[in-house]
Amino acid sequence: MTRARGTGGVEDVQPLIPRQSAHEHGIQRVDNDARLSDELASVVGGARRRAVRDGDRQIDTAHLLHSLLESDPEARSVFGEGPQIARLLGYLVQRSIGYGLRWQSGVEDSGAVPVVTETAGFSPLAAACMEDACERAAVRGGPARGTDLLAAIVADPQARAVEVLERAGVDPREVTARLDDRSGRSGECGEATC
């Protein structure tokens, strides 16, 4: 970027805020994964940008939930309209202050899932949720959608996204029940869906 000087010369000016790429933060691209629908790939891209902007080392489940609510109308509709969705988005926006600052010092991992190393840039728990979403979609015979990812996220009580849901007064079990109703599942786990 250049700026003209008053004497006719040209002066180099650095941007006030340096551009930070996801690669510089170790958050590689996985949104070109053929197992993801276009909508879910967009959600992953949004979560990556949010993680970089927040200065987080990894994409966690709260980043994914925030991006789902902003970018995926089908996933957002699970929460209905009105004050509940507004309160939930309010908590997610506040992640850069308060409890979000506490999260920056640790890695999101419930210990209940094996570490998935192929999904670079994701917390272990978020990587496991991405894999679970793809497995759910494979049973259906299509690419993973936002609702597949949402179902995977709310399934682990240690997920940061679940903490945000609970703080906003949303019961993750109710979210699971709504998702099951939409997919026609009875609420019982099949072999490949739990």
Side-chain angles (χ1 to χ4, degrees):
M1 187 163 123
T2 59
R3 178 177 65 186
R5 283 189 185 171
T7 60
V10 176
E11 173 185 352
D12 286 338
V13 177
Q14 297 296 322
L16 294 176
I17 301 173
R19 288 190 61 93
Q20 298 174 333
S21 72
H23 183 69
E24 290 170 1
H25 279 69
I27 302 173
Q28 277 78 42
R29 299 185 70 83
V30 297
D31 54 350
N32 61 354
D33 188 332
R35 301 176 303 162
L36 306 182
S37 67
D38 291 342
E39 294 80 12
L40 187 52
S42 177
V43 164
V44 171
R48 180 186 318 98
R49 286 187 297 277
R50 185 170 302 288
V52 169
R53 185 175 56 240
D54 291 349
D56 295 331
R57 295 179 310 183
Q58 297 178 317
I59 300 167
D60 65 22
T61 58
H63 292 120
L64 291 169
L65 177 62
H66 198 162
S67 192
L68 277 169
L69 293 175
E70 286 184 334
S71 305
D72 190 314
E74 184 182 15
R76 186 174 46 250
S77 71
V78 171
F79 297 94
E81 297 296 325
Q84 187 177 56
I85 192 78
R87 188 170 45 249
L88 181 54
L89 283 167
Y91 273 100
L92 286 163
V93 167
Q94 292 178 26
R95 100 169 257 138
S96 61
I97 58 174
Y99 56 83
L101 295 176
R102 176 175 41 96
W103 289 343
Q104 287 182 342
S105 64
V107 174
E108 180 187 41
D109 182 12
S110 69
V113 294
V115 174
V116 180
T117 57
E118 306 88 56
T119 315
F122 286 84
S123 71
L125 187 58
C129 288
M130 291 296 296
E131 287 301 315
D132 184 31
C134 291
E135 290 171 12
R136 289 168 185 269
V139 169
R140 192 179 61 249
R145 299 185 317 231
T147 52
D148 295 315
L149 180 57
L150 181 58
I153 288 172
V154 298
D156 192 319
Q158 299 301 311
R160 290 176 178 172
V162 170
E163 181 180 342
V164 171
L165 289 170
E166 290 172 342
R167 286 179 182 245
V170 178
D171 185 344
R173 293 171 299 196
E174 289 180 19
V175 174
T176 299
R178 291 180 201 147
L179 289 164
D180 288 346
D181 287 346
R182 286 172 181 236
S183 68
R185 290 173 45 192
S186 64
E188 296 179 10
C189 295
E191 286 181 20
T193 58
C194 290

